[in-house]
Amino acid sequence: MSEYTPITLSMSEDEIIAAEVLTTIIDNTVSMNSTLSRFVASRVLKATQIERYQNAGAPKEIMHFINRGSGMGTECEHYARAFFPSLGKRLEGDTKKSGYDQIHKPSGYKVEQKSGGNWGPEDRSWKWQHIEPNHPWKFLLFCGISYKDIHWFFLSRIRFDELCEKKVITPQGDQDRNSYQGWWFSYKDAKNDLIEIRSNEQLDKLVNEL
């Protein structure tokens, strides 16, 4: 007998039926919660990205981006235009399918931006993916969100092509290319080829040298 069995004294038949249904629901819920609790307690999983940033004591400004999930890239594009006043939105009439994310206003060059947080527990374990070589960008702007700060990196198309030839940047997807998802690479494999940008003036100087 369940500990939730109702007292039926002075209850009508309908009330007794309703009480028994409620008791069954409660019993099933207790059973389910017990199974759920045991299952969760038995699982040993890697920390999620959000958990890693929280465990590292990331400030709220960093969590603002990490908490966006799949919307993190778009929010980083907004922040890029705030950090680099020379950057502007895509040209009027262009859509998200136009193959670039920003315009470098002084030069008119199209910019592809890729953003990412740490993929592992160590800081600067960034990977940037879904890069499309056939899109009409002049240079790539990478945003790397560390546990305490946000970093920006510049890569010209010429250097990008060289890194593809060296297989530092590789196609993303199955080996048989049935699930092509653009190209990708990790920061640690290309850090000597990326130029970290710390100011709008530095960005403009790099663009002028293209």
Side-chain angles (χ1 to χ4, degrees):
M1 179 181 294
S2 167
E3 60 179 306
Y4 299 100
T5 300
I7 297 175
T8 59
L9 185 63
S10 301
M11 295 175 67
S12 68
E13 183 177 352
D14 288 342
E15 289 173 332
I16 292 173
I17 293 174
E20 289 175 346
V21 169
L22 178 60
T23 298
T24 300
I25 293 174
I26 292 174
D27 285 344
N28 290 340
T29 301
V30 170
S31 176
M32 180 196 70
N33 286 345
S34 177
T35 301
L36 178 61
S37 296
R38 289 196 302 271
F39 172 78
V40 172
S42 71
R43 303 293 290 163
V44 180
L45 304 175
K46 293 181 179 179
T48 65
Q49 186 179 70
I50 290 177
E51 290 170 338
R52 289 197 301 271
Y53 275 79
Q54 290 173 334
N55 294 339
K60 64 179 181 179
E61 291 82 2
I62 294 298
M63 295 307 301
H64 170 81
F65 296 93
I66 297 301
N67 287 334
R68 300 277 79 73
S70 61
M72 179 177 64
T74 300
E75 189 67 3
C76 288
E77 290 170 15
H78 287 293
Y79 178 52
R81 292 192 288 272
F83 191 84
F84 301 108
S86 289
L87 295 180
K89 296 181 179 180
R90 285 186 296 268
L91 297 175
E92 186 176 354
D94 279 352
T95 68
K96 291 184 178 181
K97 296 181 180 180
S98 298
Y100 69 101
D101 300 302
Q102 314 273 17
I103 283 287
H104 182 254
K105 293 183 290 186
S107 66
Y109 291 152
K110 295 177 179 179
V111 186
E112 179 77 351
Q113 179 177 330
K114 295 298 178 183
S115 306
N118 288 320
W119 281 50
E122 68 278 8
D123 210 358
R124 293 189 174 229
S125 57
W126 306 308
K127 291 185 181 181
W128 294 292
Q129 54 186 343
H130 307 312
I131 306 168
E132 290 290 349
N134 294 328
H135 285 177
W137 48 267
K138 184 69 173 181
F139 65 90
L140 292 164
L141 178 67
F142 297 105
C143 174
I145 304 176
S146 74
Y147 291 126
K148 303 297 181 183
D149 203 355
I150 293 181
H151 304 265
W152 301 97
F153 301 92
F154 177 96
L155 186 67
S156 69
R157 180 175 280 279
I158 292 176
R159 194 65 185 138
F160 171 83
D161 290 340
E162 292 173 349
L163 293 177
C164 290
E165 292 177 4
K166 293 179 179 180
K167 301 187 184 310
V168 173
I169 302 176
T170 58
Q172 185 176 4
D174 292 342
Q175 294 297 320
D176 57 11
R177 304 291 180 89
N178 286 332
S179 62
Y180 173 76
Q181 301 174 47
W183 292 60
W184 69 331
F185 70 101
S186 65
Y187 168 77
K188 68 177 183 179
D189 292 334
K191 61 182 179 181
N192 293 330
D193 297 283
L194 298 171
I195 301 174
E196 186 161 4
I197 318 169
R198 295 181 172 85
S199 69
N200 189 68
E201 292 73 23
Q202 184 185 7
L203 173 64
D204 287 346
K205 184 175 184 298
L206 289 168
V207 173
N208 290 336
E209 293 172 351
L210 292 175

